[in-house]
Amino acid sequence: MPRKRYLLTPGPTPVPPEVLAALGEPVLHHRSPDFKAVFAETRARLRQVFRTENEVLVFSASGTGAFESAVVNLLSPGEKVLAVSHGNFGTRWQKMAAAFGCDVVELTYAWGEAPRPDDVRRALAASGALVALLVHSETSTGVVSDVERLVAACDDAGAISVVDAISSLGAVPLETDAWGVDVVVTGSQKALMTPPGLAFASVSERAWAKVEQATLPRFYWDWTRARANQERNETPFTPATSTIVALNTALEQILAEGLPAVFARHVALGRACRAGARAMGLELYSPDDDSAAVLTGILTPEGIDAVELRLALRDRHGVTIAGGHGDVVDRLFRIGHIGYVDVFDITTALGAIELQLAEMGASVERGAAVAAALEAYASTVAV
Amino acid sequence: MPRKRYLLTPGPTPVPPEVLAALGEPVLHHRSPDFKAVFAETRARLRQVFRTENEVLVFSASGTGAFESAVVNLLSPGEKVLAVSHGNFGTRWQKMAAAFGCDVVELTYAWGEAPRPDDVRRALAASGALVALLVHSETSTGVVSDVERLVAACDDAGAISVVDAISSLGAVPLETDAWGVDVVVTGSQKALMTPPGLAFASVSERAWAKVEQATLPRFYWDWTRARANQERNETPFTPATSTIVALNTALEQILAEGLPAVFARHVALGRACRAGARAMGLELYSPDDDSAAVLTGILTPEGIDAVELRLALRDRHGVTIAGGHGDVVDRLFRIGHIGYVDVFDITTALGAIELQLAEMGASVERGAAVAAALEAYASTVAV
């Protein structure tokens, strides 16, 4: 087995060496002035990356935990909630809201579709739900939904919008305050290029008013307590201090590069990945346009098992990519291009895939993918 | 301000360099064979350190999160639960159970006392509660309760015992299976000498039967789903993979040293710390016996503010210790001796405290503390 590893999944993502070095610094005590100084900086940087003036609450948890915090702080038992699904994660939030005894109004699209604002508007009007759960980047399919228009539909209906931006925040534009998104949830291990273990929720003033009425029980996820603690640069319970120190470094790098440049890089990586896959003669599963900046979903040639392909890529070439979910588990593989990824990571993945598919007997065009990917990338960043 | 830092709090605790190095390794994907191999090893090592044959569930959260998982998996709304407090953390669990709508039967002792098994037996008999929440090491006071006898009292009453062992597990003996403890909760950042961000719950067969009847809502904390995932070396949601890799290294070190040697080291460090404090002429707040192996609570001389002392220790000497809670916040300071701590960390703290107290005008015996601490330590480990 090769020693060198290439991580190209849509989370956890590769982490810059400076972030790993920060992670390995001596542990800080969470009530010490040393930590508070870091946390003050992290809070300010999070607000910049979230594009919000509101406090971004920090939880030691995975993204699912932070999403659960939105459900239990905004809703009451038996309360109607619109939960929109266009893939695996939207379906997870439908199940979560049901587990908490909410009356879940499901708006479910086929995998690969994008939710339509008019459907959201109608579903909210028909149900009277005051909260809508939405997914920005559906990591299972690569579809990035039009959150600006979906949130406008929520606004029209007077509903609080909760957006799962777990794989999108920091990869594609999300204008939290300008678009009026009430709650944005993300995790550390995606485009924020930090190891997993932290998750976040930004909360608008309108959402805070809803929190006061919501009666689902909460303790670890209690937003009110979290905000009061964060205002003095603390957290209610011992946070993942080392991961916060690492995140602070990653956020500094993201802001130094500049969000427009970061978003342009993700678009260019998506173009490179799609150009490479097409040059090899493969069929795309994720959209064949610049909205697919988070990950590229690709189908194996007929007769080639995607699970087998992934295991061989990892065992023989050290390349880790993601698999499919649901109905397309046998054909779909996904290349993530968020986090600390550049075009040569993409060409490495494409090269390994080409080699492995050929060895598995697939008829793929040889030698074209890497050149096509580099060409697509170079022509994008030159513009 | 000095550059070198000494962390002597009862969590987060100092972490061995090998553990920090493991933390900084390239990030692994949580569904990859690389991670699964590490997680399999970690699960086995956790069972050894927990002294149980049962699965130890791993949550990406702080210890409070794992304790919340016990409440929501074992209890139903309105159900009676005995919650025993002898300090800050016991009171937290009383409030937590109340927040989830349980009918909390409070058994509350003064800070510094230890809970009495007969009181637990009587309270369970009188209330009919089927679950008891207990604290092993009360981090706010340094009192370590007699969990073996408290759990026996629960057994007599047919109640499930849930033990907060957050600052005790890996520092002092806790025989989960031999004593019949149903649920043991701990965190990564205490005696397990790993950065914060992971928390654990071991669950007995008897407790699993109670889980099936409990109806409090749960999703992120769902034990049944967690166990099913762990049996294939996965977790339901993206875990703090880097911290798990680090924990695996820390557990390896703990098991290589051997639990009896680890426990003896903690006893010796407690003796050293108490001997040093006494030699300086200071009054102990935590018990003056070998039960106080997790931390030493010390009162400042009359007229010396403990908060001011702590800030000066940190700013002028780089030494971080913990403060007091509640009624004794002005007089109490706490030196943790769990995790990657040796006797020279203790003498460093004692030396800095002696110097700083003298500068603040306290009448302390000079030059005696370090020698007394080393003497107490050497005579213990030689035995």
Side-chain angles (χ1 to χ4, degrees), chain B residues 136-154:
Chain B
H136 191 197
S137 164
E138 179 48 76
T139 317
S140 61
T141 66
V143 171
V144 175
S145 60
D146 186 346
V147 158
E148 183 174 12
R149 291 179 58 226
L150 293 170
V151 165
C154 295

Side-chain angles (χ1 to χ4, degrees), chain B residues 39-284:
Chain B
F39 194 44
E41 211 167 53
T42 307
R43 287 172 56 219
R45 288 174 176 162
L46 279 172
R47 287 194 294 269
Q48 286 182 264
V49 173
F50 270 70
R51 303 283 296 150
T52 184
E53 299 289 321
N54 295 312
E55 187 71 22
V56 180
L57 304 176
V58 177
F59 294 97
S60 295
S62 77
T64 297
F67 207 90
E68 179 164 313
S69 83
V71 168
V72 300
N73 280 278
L74 290 168
L75 291 160
S76 299
E79 181 176 348
K80 282 206 173 81
V81 56
L82 177 66
V84 183
S85 170
H86 61 295
N88 188 52
F89 289 92
T91 300
R92 178 180 290 181
W93 312 140
Q94 292 175 338
K95 287 181 185 162
M96 176 188 275
F100 284 97
C102 298
D103 181 359
V104 182
V105 180
E106 295 187 359
L107 174 58
T108 304
Y109 297 89
W111 287 38
E113 283 193 79
R116 288 177 289 273
D118 283 346
D119 294 344
V120 168
R121 195 175 278 107
R122 270 193 296 269
L124 286 170
S127 65
L130 296 177
V131 175
L133 310 180
L134 305 167
V135 175
H136 191 197
S137 164
E138 179 48 76
T139 317
S140 61
T141 66
V143 171
V144 175
S145 60
D146 186 346
V147 158
E148 183 174 12
R149 291 179 58 226
L150 293 170
V151 165
C154 295
D155 271 349
D156 292 349
I160 301 282
S161 51
V162 179
V163 172
D164 162 4
I166 294 175
S167 66
S168 62
L169 193 116
V172 297
L174 177 53
E175 290 290 336
T176 299
D177 284 0
W179 297 350
V181 194
D182 290 301
V183 176
V184 172
V185 171
T186 198
S188 55
Q189 81 281 13
K190 306 278 186 173
L192 301 185
M193 45 188 210
T194 300
L198 293 172
F200 317 97
S202 72
V203 185
S204 72
E205 277 312 310
R206 194 168 69 153
W208 279 112
K210 184 77 173 75
V211 171
E212 286 175 26
Q213 298 151 18
T215 62
L216 271 171
R218 54 223 185 219
F219 193 90
Y220 189 74
W221 307 124
D222 186 343
W223 280 358
T224 306
R225 187 170 182 175
R227 178 167 67 170
N229 273 262
Q230 287 195 191
E231 281 166 359
R232 44 179 203 270
N233 291 314
E234 295 195 11
T235 55
F237 317 114
T238 312
T241 47
S242 296
T243 316
I244 289 173
V245 171
L247 172 72
N248 193 43
T249 300
L251 294 173
E252 184 181 25
Q253 292 190 0
I254 288 168
L255 292 167
E257 184 177 353
L259 287 176
V262 169
F263 299 149
R265 176 165 54 81
H266 283 89
V267 166
L269 291 171
R271 286 187 190 174
C273 201
R274 292 193 301 279
R278 277 192 310 254
M280 231 185 289
L282 298 176
E283 186 185 343
L284 293 172

Side-chain angles (χ1 to χ4, degrees), chain A residues 92-153:
Chain A
R92 178 180 289 180
W93 311 140
Q94 292 174 338
K95 288 180 184 163
M96 176 187 276
F100 284 97
C102 297
D103 181 359
V104 182
V105 180
E106 295 187 358
L107 174 58
T108 304
Y109 297 88
W111 287 38
E113 284 193 78
R116 289 177 288 273
D118 282 345
D119 294 344
V120 168
R121 194 175 279 109
R122 269 193 296 269
L124 286 169
S127 66
L130 296 176
V131 175
L133 310 180
L134 304 167
V135 175
H136 191 196
S137 164
E138 179 49 76
T139 317
S140 60
T141 65
V143 171
V144 175
S145 60
D146 185 346
V147 159
E148 183 175 11
R149 289 179 59 226
L150 293 171
V151 165

Side-chain angles (χ1 to χ4, degrees), chain A residues 73-85:
Chain A
N73 280 278
L74 289 169
L75 291 160
S76 299
E79 182 176 347
K80 283 206 172 82
V81 55
L82 176 67
V84 182
S85 169

Side-chain angles (χ1 to χ4, degrees), chain A:
Chain A
M1 192 189 301
R3 225 188 115 258
K4 198 157 180 181
R5 290 280 186 279
Y6 300 90
L7 181 62
L8 283 128
T9 65
T13 61
V15 166
E18 299 82 2
V19 175
L20 288 176
L23 188 70
E25 287 177 14
V27 172
L28 297 180
H29 190 264
H30 57 298
R31 310 272 181 222
S32 72
D34 287 344
F35 175 72
K36 288 185 183 193
V38 172
F39 195 42
E41 211 166 55
T42 308
R43 287 172 57 218
R45 287 174 176 162
L46 279 172
R47 286 194 294 269
Q48 286 182 264
V49 173
F50 270 71
R51 303 284 296 152
T52 182
E53 298 289 320
N54 294 312
E55 186 71 23
V56 179
L57 304 176
V58 178
F59 294 97
S60 295
S62 75
T64 298
F67 206 90
E68 178 163 315
S69 83
V71 169
V72 299
N73 280 278
L74 289 169
L75 291 160
S76 299
E79 182 176 347
K80 283 206 172 82
V81 55
L82 176 67
V84 182
S85 169
H86 60 295
N88 188 51
F89 288 92
T91 299
R92 178 180 289 180
W93 311 140
Q94 292 174 338
K95 288 180 184 163
M96 176 187 276
F100 284 97
C102 297
D103 181 359
V104 182
V105 180
E106 295 187 358
L107 174 58
T108 304
Y109 297 88
W111 287 38
E113 284 193 78
R116 289 177 288 273
D118 282 345
D119 294 344
V120 168
R121 194 175 279 109
R122 269 193 296 269
L124 286 169
S127 66
L130 296 176
V131 175
L133 310 180
L134 304 167
V135 175
H136 191 196
S137 164
E138 179 49 76
T139 317
S140 60
T141 65
V143 171
V144 175
S145 60
D146 185 346
V147 159
E148 183 175 11
R149 289 179 59 226
L150 293 171
V151 165
C154 295
D155 271 350
D156 291 348
I160 302 281
S161 52
V162 178
V163 172
D164 162 3
I166 294 175
S167 65
S168 62
L169 193 116
V172 297
L174 177 54
E175 290 291 336
T176 299
D177 284 0
W179 297 350
V181 193
D182 290 301
V183 176
V184 172
V185 171
T186 197
S188 54
Q189 80 281 13
K190 305 279 186 173
L192 301 186
M193 46 187 207
T194 301
L198 292 173
F200 316 97
S202 71
V203 185
S204 73
E205 277 313 310
R206 193 168 70 153
W208 279 112
K210 184 77 171 78
V211 171
E212 286 176 27
Q213 299 152 15
T215 62
L216 271 172
R218 54 222 186 219
F219 192 90
Y220 188 75
W221 306 125
D222 186 342
W223 280 358
T224 306
R225 188 171 182 174
R227 177 167 67 169
N229 273 261
Q230 286 195 193
E231 281 168 358
R232 44 178 203 271
N233 290 314
E234 296 194 9
T235 55
F237 317 114
T238 313
T241 47
S242 296
T243 315
I244 288 173
V245 171
L247 173 71
N248 194 43
T249 300
L251 294 174
E252 185 182 23
Q253 293 189 0
I254 288 167
L255 292 167
E257 185 176 352
L259 288 176
V262 169
F263 298 149
R265 176 165 53 82
H266 284 89
V267 166
L269 291 171
R271 286 187 190 174
C273 201
R274 293 192 300 278
R278 277 192 310 254
M280 231 185 287
L282 298 177
E283 187 186 343
L284 293 171
Y285 178 80
S286 52
D288 193 2
D289 61 55
D290 284 344
S291 75
V294 172
L295 65 95
T296 301
I298 305 173
L299 296 174
T300 55
E302 201 85 30
I304 301 287
D305 183 62
V307 176
E308 203 183 314
L309 170 67
R310 277 196 302 121
L311 289 177
L313 284 173
R314 179 261 175 190
D315 287 348
R316 303 196 47 213
H317 308 290
V319 172
T320 299
I321 60 172
H325 299 251
D327 292 346
V328 282
V329 70
D330 296 338
R331 293 281 309 279
L332 175 63
F333 59 95
R334 293 172 298 141
I335 300 174
H337 26 79
I338 49 177
Y340 184 60
V341 174
D342 77 6
V343 71
F344 299 109
D345 294 304
I346 301 296
T347 55
T348 295
L350 290 168
I353 289 165
E354 178 184 314
L355 186 61
Q356 190 56 43
L357 283 175
E359 289 198 12
M360 290 168 78
S363 146
V364 287
E365 180 71 24
R366 295 297 298 272
V370 168
L374 289 173
E375 174 66 27
Y377 188 81
S379 67
T380 305
V381 293
V383 165

